[in-house]
């Protein structure tokens, strides 16, 4: 979830919204990144990013995205783990 600097949630435009990971064996991991753009006229500030699964970690860089600027959402998936 993100907390924009204004009350209205600004739109984020992702170049890609899904990835085909193929087969990822237990005990191994795979890391993928999604590029996005802040399509609003307001800065977006990410205070916290959470995964919906204990087998993945997510991060956003940078934490403050200026209007029109790009950011990256990185996901590390490790099947069978509780990261």
């Amino acid at each position: 979830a993100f907390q924009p600097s204004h009350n209205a949630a600004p739109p984020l435009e992702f170049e890609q919204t899904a990835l085909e990971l193929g087969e990822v064996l237990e005990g191994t991991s795979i890391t993928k990144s999604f590029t996005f753009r802040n399509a609003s006229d307001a800065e977006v500030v990410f205070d916290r990013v959470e995964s919906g699964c204990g087998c993945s970690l997510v991060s956003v860089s940078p934490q403050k995205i200026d209007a029109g600027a790009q950011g990256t959402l990185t996901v590390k998936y490790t099947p069978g783990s509780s990261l």
Side-chain angles (χ1 to χ4, degrees):
F2 64 87
Q3 178 61 45
S5 57
H6 298 290
N7 291 334
L12 298 177
E13 294 178 347
F14 284 81
E15 292 179 1
Q16 190 175 5
T17 57
L19 292 173
E20 176 56 50
L21 299 178
E23 184 176 353
V24 183
L25 301 175
E26 190 169 330
T28 65
S29 65
I30 188 166
T31 302
K32 296 289 184 176
S33 296
F34 293 87
T35 301
F36 62 89
R37 185 177 78 84
N38 176 0
S40 76
D41 60 357
E43 177 184 67
V44 174
V45 178
F46 290 89
D47 293 328
R48 182 181 66 214
V49 182
E50 297 178 355
S51 166
C53 170
C55 58
S56 59
L57 293 173
V58 294
S59 63
V60 172
S61 178
Q63 286 185 295
K64 293 182 180 182
I65 314 288
D66 291 331
Q70 289 190 330
T72 304
L73 174 72
T74 301
V75 179
K76 179 180 180 181
Y77 172 63
T78 307
S81 74
S82 193
L83 300 172

